[in-house]
Amino acid sequence: NPRDTTPPPASALPTTIVPRQPIRPNFASGHPQLLQQMLPVRTVTGANGQLYAVVPTTAGATRQIVATGGQTSVPALITVPPQGTRATPPQQQQQQQQQQQQRLVQQLTAARAVAEDPLTCAHCGQTFTSVAASHVHKLKHNDDTYFCLECGKSFRSEPLATVHIVSHCGVDGIKTDLQCPLCTSAPYRTSSVIAFRRHMSEGPSVHPQHAKLTVRSPGCVLLFGSDKASADHQRQHREAPSSDGRCCIICGTGNMWTRPTASHLMLHGAMQWIMCRECGLCFTQLHQFHEHFRNAHVTQMPHQNGRSYSCTPCHQSQLFIAQSQIDAHVAEKHKVFGLKLKGNQTIEIDDEVKKRLGLL
């Protein structure tokens, strides 16, 4: 019977036979040959007439493969301990397996307890006195880009973060007050983003005080006060393309997402802090954050063309030749935005928007 798994008598083999999980080698012309690895083999014939291919392992033991008449079916895999050793008794094997399972259960239970404890970091085991501090600390171990300044919860995407912070105060806590920075003699003010975009796309032929708005960015209705501002805005459209060509009047991105309870524009009505992912320090201005990171977490080294920069938290795995390169790396990997909404937050045109439009 080719499926007969009865092992040969002990006299035909070195020592006791211990059953193991079967594998399937390839037998060509009656000679056993393993599929995955080529090992020296010897064959023995059991009393039941079956051909056994004994394959030595790297640990000194041997594995025995059952085959009959060169057939490829392998109903059993048998381990034969080396001469002078004994196979582990079945009862002792069972006890060892039970002990190993108990240790594994204990480890999993301990890991689950740490993961479920809001005051303990599951990555490094550090403990905290508040849940918010624990959430902010975990930003060192994850890739989230935004976190809530109210409760510390972090989020990977801008929409999720904005929806969350709006839930703390409600949609009614955000107001829009957009005033044209050029129309001073006859001020133009509106709460409608659509109306304000239309106004800022009209040149001096419509509004004489828009004489500075002379450059139009390709693919956008907005006008700008310089070629550089127009080129920068065009790059934003490429980085975050919009299906309908719309862009944010405040920051210029084409990622104008909307949700039932929030939208991209609401993000501009929030308090925004820039936090260093490595040490937790927060800054109100982007240049302050970059200056801090360069002084605290960047190593300068000599280079054939001058100086090179290495990011210390990244274990000096990459060298940057220009300061702009290290700044771009830091902004992508180590910058986190802290967001918070208070009652009566206002979305308005500030100096940063004026600079983006090329008016300052």
Side-chain angles (χ1 to χ4, degrees):
N1 182 4
R3 292 287 181 179
D4 184 8
T5 61
T6 304
S11 59
L13 298 171
T15 55
T16 309
I17 298 171
V18 182
R20 290 286 186 248
Q21 182 181 1
I23 62 176
R24 186 178 296 277
N26 176 30
F27 292 92
S29 303
H31 299 287
Q33 190 178 46
L34 288 177
L35 287 174
Q36 299 296 331
Q37 52 185 331
M38 297 292 293
L39 294 174
V41 298
R42 63 184 177 86
T43 60
V44 294
T45 303
N48 56 7
Q50 287 189 333
L51 176 68
Y52 288 80
V54 181
V55 183
T57 65
T58 56
T62 56
R63 293 184 300 176
Q64 193 172 60
I65 305 165
V66 181
T68 302
Q71 298 297 318
T72 58
S73 60
V74 182
L77 170 64
I78 300 174
T79 297
V80 183
Q83 292 283 357
T85 63
R86 282 188 173 183
T88 306
Q91 185 177 2
Q92 186 176 349
Q93 278 187 338
Q94 186 177 5
Q95 292 177 351
Q96 291 177 350
Q97 291 176 355
Q98 290 176 350
Q99 292 174 356
Q100 185 177 4
Q101 290 177 354
Q102 290 176 355
R103 288 193 297 268
L104 180 60
V105 170
Q106 291 174 354
Q107 293 172 357
L108 291 175
T109 303
R112 186 180 295 112
V114 171
E116 293 176 353
D117 183 4
L119 298 179
T120 303
C121 177
H123 296 273
C124 62
Q126 186 173 346
T127 58
F128 302 89
T129 57
S130 70
V131 176
S134 175
H135 283 317
V136 173
H137 164 80
K138 291 173 184 176
L139 287 164
K140 293 184 67 174
H141 305 296
N142 60 35
D143 297 327
D144 292 348
T145 309
Y146 304 88
F147 73 98
C148 176
L149 290 169
E150 292 276 358
C151 64
K153 288 185 178 181
S154 61
F155 305 88
R156 185 160 298 186
S157 69
E158 177 185 294
L160 290 176
T162 309
V163 169
H164 171 80
I165 62 173
V166 168
S167 68
H168 279 293
C169 72
V171 180
D172 295 336
I174 306 173
K175 297 181 178 179
T176 305
D177 183 17
L178 302 175
Q179 183 174 354
C180 178
L182 296 175
C183 297
T184 54
S185 59
Y188 176 83
R189 173 174 288 177
T190 180
S191 61
S192 169
V193 177
I194 297 177
F196 190 78
R197 278 178 55 84
R198 187 186 307 114
H199 177 82
M200 296 303 296
S201 66
E202 296 170 342
S205 60
V206 179
H207 305 287
Q209 296 183 72
H210 286 196
K212 290 185 177 181
L213 297 178
T214 57
V215 183
R216 190 179 298 277
S217 180
C220 184
V221 299
L222 294 178
L223 290 169
F224 296 86
S226 68
D227 292 332
K228 181 181 181 304
S230 175
D232 291 342
H233 183 70
Q234 188 177 4
R235 185 179 66 253
Q236 286 183 293
H237 272 274
R238 291 195 300 267
E239 293 175 352
S242 173
S243 59
D244 56 4
R246 294 190 305 129
C247 59
C248 178
I249 191 65
I250 305 297
C251 67
T253 181
N255 185 22
M256 291 290 289
W257 56 268
T258 58
R259 297 291 187 275
T261 59
S263 66
H264 164 79
L265 192 66
M266 292 182 180
L267 184 67
H268 296 297
M271 295 174 56
Q272 295 193 40
W273 290 76
I274 303 170
M275 190 186 79
C276 174
R277 190 187 294 274
E278 305 308 318
C279 59
L281 291 178
C282 291
F283 307 89
T284 58
Q285 301 295 327
L286 183 60
H287 70 87
Q288 296 173 338
F289 162 74
H290 280 293
E291 183 178 355
H292 154 77
F293 204 94
R294 285 194 295 265
N295 294 333
H297 306 296
V298 172
T299 303
Q300 296 189 22
M301 294 177 291
H303 188 266
Q304 59 183 359
N305 296 328
R307 290 183 299 177
S308 63
Y309 304 87
S310 174
C311 180
T312 305
C314 293
H315 308 292
Q316 301 182 356
S317 60
Q318 184 177 0
L319 291 178
F320 301 91
I321 306 304
Q323 182 173 304
S324 59
Q325 294 176 340
I326 186 68
D327 286 347
H329 164 78
V330 169
E332 179 182 0
K333 298 292 184 181
H334 305 286
K335 179 180 65 176
V336 187
F337 288 102
L339 306 175
K340 183 179 181 179
L341 280 173
K342 288 185 175 180
N344 299 324
Q345 290 290 116
T346 303
I347 302 171
E348 56 186 8
I349 303 298
D350 57 12
D351 287 346
E352 289 298 322
V353 179
K354 296 176 185 178
K355 290 179 182 178
R356 189 182 66 78
L357 294 175
L359 301 178
L360 290 179

